[in-house]
Amino acid sequence: MKQLTIAKPVKGVGIGLHKGEPIEIILEPLEANSGIVFFRKDLNISYKAEPANVINTQMATVIGDHRGYVSTIEHLMSAINAYGIDNIRIVLNANEAPVMDGSSISFCIMLDEAGIKELDAPKKVMVIKKTIEVRDGNKFVKLIPTKEPKINYTIKFDNAVIGEQNYCFEFSKKNYIENIARARTFGFLKDVEKLRAMNLALGGSLENTIVVDDNRILNPEGLRFKDEFVRHKILDAIGDLTLLGYRVFGDYISYAGSHHLNHLLTKELLKDEQAYEIITLEKDYEKDYEKVFA
C-alpha cells in the first residue's frame, strides 16, 4: 500500500466561520513523507498539521505560532483522513479554513475533483498498543488497541432538541461519505451574541450551522440525520486525530469530548512511546489494514 497525495491542484472559496470573510482555498499535491501542510500565502508562512503546532482549542482546532495561525482546520483534516491522503498542501489567504456548509462534504467534493495519486513510498499507520485516556470530570476521550478501528461517541446536552445521542462509526471511506461527511456543526441561539462580542462566529448562519433554541431547530430544512449532532462530533474527532500524522488504528471512545480533550489525548499518546507503533504497510501487513482504506 502506497502513500497518497492529490493528482492536481483544486481551488475553492467559502466564508470563514469566525471572521465572516470570503476565503480562498487551494489544495495542492505534495511529495511523499511531507504530511499535511497549511500555507498562509498572505504571510508566507507554513505550518505542519501536528500536535506540537496546536495553539488553541477553544472553539476550533487552531495551529500556528507568534507569527500567525490557521483556525478551524478540523473539517478539512477529517475529509483528508477519510480519503487516506498522507501528503497535501492547503493554501489559504486568511487565518482560518472556510466553513463551507458546516460539514466536510464540500472538501470531499474538492478531493474528488482533484483525484488521488499514488506516490512511490509505502504508507505508514499508527497502531495503538495500550489504552490512553484523558478525563475532565465525567467527560473523557480514550484510545484502545484494535485492528478494526471504530469511533464510539456519546454526547449529552441539557437541551430538549439534542439530549443524549450515541453513534458508533466503523472506518471506511464509503461509510464516512455516507454517514459522517454531511453532518454540520451546531450552536445555540443563546450563545450567538456572546460569541460575536468575542469576534467569533461572525460568519455563522443557517447556511453553515445548525442553530438550536431551547426546544426547536431554527434551520428551515431541519436535520440531515436525526442524530446529526453526535455525527458531527465524530467528524471533528477524526479531524483532530489526523494531527497525529497517520491513520490511527485504535478504537476511539468519547463521552462529551471536545477539541481540547482530543488535543490532550494526542499529546498524552505521543509522550508514551510504548503506547503506539508506526507500521509500514508492506505486503505482509496490508491484509490486516486495507479494508479501512476501502
Side-chain angles (χ1 to χ4, degrees):
M1 194 174 291
K2 300 292 188 182
Q3 290 185 32
L4 301 179
T5 187
I6 55 175
K8 66 177 183 181
V10 289
K11 182 185 294 187
V13 177
I15 295 296
L17 177 61
H18 292 303
K19 296 302 181 184
E21 300 167 353
I23 296 168
E24 179 185 86
I25 179 171
I26 305 170
L27 307 182
E28 297 180 343
L30 269 187
E31 60 272 14
N33 301 309
S34 297
I36 301 169
V37 178
F38 285 82
F39 177 64
R40 284 281 304 272
K41 70 176 183 179
D42 54 325
L43 299 179
N44 195 32
I45 299 172
S46 290
Y47 296 108
K48 190 169 183 179
E50 57 187 11
N53 285 333
V54 173
I55 59 171
N56 196 323
T57 52
Q58 181 184 8
M59 294 294 299
T61 297
V62 184
I63 57 173
D65 58 20
H66 66 281
R67 300 169 298 167
Y69 63 90
V70 181
S71 177
T72 325
I73 65 172
E74 58 272 9
H75 300 172
L76 174 55
M77 294 284 287
S78 187
I80 289 168
N81 183 307
Y83 277 64
I85 293 169
D86 305 282
N87 310 286
I88 190 169
R89 186 167 94 139
I90 299 108
V91 180
L92 298 165
N93 64 349
N95 60 14
E96 61 181 319
V99 69
M100 302 307 202
D101 74 340
S103 74
S104 67
I105 194 65
S106 294
F107 298 125
C108 293
I109 292 169
M110 289 182 73
L111 293 172
D112 285 335
E113 181 185 348
I116 304 298
K117 178 184 175 183
E118 279 195 351
L119 298 167
D120 190 22
K123 184 180 284 289
K124 299 176 182 178
V125 297
M126 175 180 278
V127 178
I128 303 302
K129 306 296 284 186
K130 72 178 190 181
T131 298
I132 297 290
E133 180 175 6
V134 174
R135 284 188 168 267
D136 178 12
N138 68 337
K139 302 175 183 178
F140 69 84
V141 292
K142 60 182 172 181
L143 287 165
I144 299 173
T146 183
K147 283 191 175 180
E148 297 184 358
K150 297 180 290 294
I151 290 184
N152 194 323
Y153 210 120
T154 302
I155 60 172
K156 187 174 183 179
F157 285 87
D158 186 18
N159 177 276
V161 176
I162 303 176
E164 183 169 335
Q165 297 182 4
N166 172 267
Y167 191 84
C168 186
F169 169 71
E170 294 188 23
F171 271 90
S172 77
K173 177 182 174 183
K174 181 175 184 293
N175 197 12
Y176 179 89
I177 292 170
E178 291 179 355
N179 294 301
I180 300 298
R182 295 176 59 248
R184 295 161 294 174
T185 193
F186 60 93
F188 297 95
L189 183 63
K190 63 183 180 181
D191 295 331
V192 170
E193 288 187 5
K194 185 193 308 180
L195 290 171
R196 290 185 172 171
M198 299 165 61
N199 283 324
L200 296 172
L202 300 179
S205 72
L206 296 180
E207 294 181 354
N208 57 39
T209 306
I210 304 169
V211 181
V212 181
D213 204 348
D214 290 338
N215 53 17
R216 66 190 177 108
I217 294 166
L218 274 63
N219 306 64
E221 75 278 13
L223 297 176
R224 295 174 178 176
F225 309 94
K226 65 178 181 180
D227 52 1
E228 187 168 356
F229 304 98
V230 71
R231 294 188 194 218
H232 183 78
K233 296 293 279 187
I234 289 173
L235 186 157
D236 279 346
I238 293 170
D240 288 342
L241 291 180
T242 306
L243 279 101
L244 287 165
Y246 307 93
R247 176 68 67 82
V248 176
F249 277 79
D251 279 349
Y252 169 96
I253 302 173
S254 174
Y255 179 82
S258 62
H259 294 304
H260 180 60
L261 285 178
N262 290 338
H263 176 52
L264 295 181
L265 182 67
T266 60
K267 289 174 65 178
E268 197 68 22
L269 175 67
L270 293 176
K271 281 196 311 191
D272 186 351
E273 294 183 358
Q274 306 302 313
Y276 67 92
E277 182 181 1
I278 306 302
I279 290 179
T280 299
L281 293 190
E282 306 287 6
K283 288 186 178 179
D284 291 343
Y285 281 114
E286 281 190 23
K287 63 182 182 297
D288 292 330
Y289 301 96
E290 61 188 357
K291 80 173 189 176
V292 174
F293 294 97

